[in-house]
Amino acid sequence: MTTPPVCDYEGSDYQTSFWDKGGREYEDRTEAIALKRLLPKRSRLLLELGAGAGRNTPRYLGFDRIVLLDYSRTQLEQAQQRLGKPDKYIYVAADVYRLPFIDGLFDAATMIRVLHHMADAPKALNQVKKVLGSGGIFILEFANKLNLKAIFRYLLGRQAWSPFTLQPVEFVKLNFDFHPKAVKNWLMDLGFKIEKTLTLSHFRVGLFKRLIPTSVLVFLDSVFQWTGALWQLSPSVFVRAKMKDGKKQEIPGTVLLFFKCPDCGQSPLVEQQDYLECSNCKKKWAVKDGIYDFREPG
Ligand SMILES: [Zn+2]
């Protein structure tokens, strides 16, 4: 099955180098505040897409259970060290373009700093939609190409790509920034209603405010005022989107019943000693040290 390329954090010390020692306390804390504002107070089952080493997981307080999904097994191992292996957490290594879950399973999903690595964002968002149930909440963070720094650089002729066009920009291989309107359009096309939008990481804009003459800022301000309520000029944007309300689906009693074969869609899978087997296409999906691995069949 052909899917877009994946940005793999396998073996990466991303948690340590970027978050713990990278001077990102500001970003980390602003994310905590945004999540608090956007998350439902009480809910059942959450899918955390691109959970990495579990940095945000303890913030999902209102959920009975959380599925931590990442493409990298070593990131999930770091999450296990941080969070342990209580029943509450289910660790899944899988490709976001081939999610191994039955339709409508989850009450909510989060995708923070992940769309940033999606070569085919609409395809990934469509997968999220399929696994969300009626009234499902989707909290999505994306990197905003229409940020003040990019606008200035473009206007000053120091950046070739335009921040104003709707196409994503790949500024480094498998690192994409998106136009807020493009993301909104994708979500609405999938049937989501956007309930709330928050902009984050303004400090980088603040830096420019100190460096750039106020008159330029005022000019830009006047140009972009028409965006009104949709004013998003910060490098990071969070949206809370919701699926149509309807009858809530029962959550299966066992984790095994959460899964389907990511290759052929068969469910349920058959539990074997150290793998789950697809009775239709006969593929074997490894289960090792508390991690369900749906990346490559065994
Ligand atoms: Zn199968």
Side-chain angles (χ1 to χ4, degrees):
M1 187 183 282
T2 318
T3 54
V6 175
C7 185
D8 191 357
Y9 277 71
E10 193 70 27
S12 163
D13 70 342
Y14 169 75
Q15 179 64 37
T16 308
S17 61
F18 187 87
W19 289 107
D20 299 342
K21 292 179 184 161
R24 298 301 200 295
E25 194 188 350
Y26 170 84
E27 282 94 336
D28 187 49
R29 290 176 67 168
T30 54
E31 279 186 16
I33 293 164
L35 286 170
K36 206 166 183 179
R37 289 174 173 161
L38 299 175
L39 283 164
K41 295 271 173 288
R42 277 294 302 146
S43 194
R44 300 176 299 177
L45 185 63
L46 171 73
L47 173 62
E48 184 180 11
L49 292 143
R55 177 178 62 92
N56 274 320
T57 314
R59 291 170 178 155
Y60 303 137
L61 293 169
F63 289 88
D64 298 333
R65 296 187 99 175
I66 299 170
V67 173
L68 289 90
L69 183 138
D70 205 276
Y71 190 74
S72 157
R73 195 188 155 85
T74 54
Q75 291 291 309
L76 291 172
E77 286 165 1
Q78 289 179 43
Q80 285 181 326
Q81 283 164 24
R82 174 185 292 243
L83 305 165
K85 298 182 191 175
D87 274 355
K88 178 176 172 135
Y89 299 128
I90 300 150
Y91 297 94
V92 177
D95 179 348
V96 71
Y97 298 113
R98 297 161 58 235
L99 290 179
F101 306 108
I102 58 169
D103 287 356
L105 175 65
F106 295 96
D107 296 304
T110 62
M111 196 190 241
I112 316 291
R113 294 174 180 264
V114 172
L115 201 70
H116 196 42
H117 298 303
M118 297 288 137
D120 189 343
K123 184 171 180 154
L125 297 175
N126 185 50
Q127 286 279 298
V128 177
K129 177 218 163 156
K130 282 175 74 176
V131 301
L132 276 176
S134 306
I137 300 288
F138 180 33
I139 296 173
L140 171 68
E141 185 275 351
F142 62 91
N144 179 14
K145 71 183 285 197
L146 187 66
N147 65 74
L148 280 186
K149 180 179 170 185
I151 293 168
F152 279 121
R153 286 177 56 86
Y154 179 67
L155 294 180
L156 295 170
R158 288 166 58 194
Q159 172 187 293
W161 55 268
S162 166
F164 305 115
T165 58
L166 293 188
Q167 304 95 297
V169 57
E170 185 176 25
F171 59 96
V172 173
K173 193 166 166 51
L174 285 177
N175 281 259
F176 302 88
D177 285 357
F178 300 92
H179 195 291
K181 200 167 177 194
V183 175
K184 192 182 166 202
N185 288 346
W186 291 330
L187 289 171
M188 291 194 322
D189 287 349
L190 289 169
F192 283 104
K193 183 174 165 239
I194 296 179
E195 293 190 323
K196 227 173 199 182
T197 305
L198 301 176
T199 50
L200 271 84
S201 282
H202 293 85
F203 87 103
R204 281 178 260 176
V205 175
L207 182 71
F208 276 88
K209 274 187 179 163
R210 290 195 292 279
L211 297 176
I212 306 278
T214 309
S215 57
V216 178
L217 286 173
V218 170
F219 167 71
L220 283 170
D221 194 73
S222 70
V223 172
F224 293 108
Q225 268 176 18
W226 64 269
T227 57
L230 300 174
W231 193 254
Q232 292 116 29
L233 297 172
S234 64
S236 168
V237 177
F238 274 62
V239 298
R240 172 181 154 123
K242 192 176 178 207
M243 299 278 290
K244 261 200 203 75
D245 274 319
K247 194 173 176 293
K248 280 250 185 273
Q249 190 171 307
E250 286 291 317
I251 290 174
T254 66
V255 173
L256 176 67
L257 299 177
F258 289 8
F259 298 118
K260 70 173 186 187
C261 174
D263 275 10
C264 77
Q266 166 71 24
S267 180
L269 299 173
V270 181
E271 193 160 29
Q272 303 290 3
Q273 181 70 27
D274 52 2
Y275 60 90
L276 304 181
E277 187 174 25
C278 176
S279 61
N280 180 49
C281 72
K282 306 296 174 201
K283 295 208 169 72
K284 295 173 181 178
W285 307 100
V287 185
K288 198 182 152 209
D289 300 329
I291 298 175
Y292 296 90
D293 195 333
F294 289 97
R295 294 172 301 174
E296 297 293 333

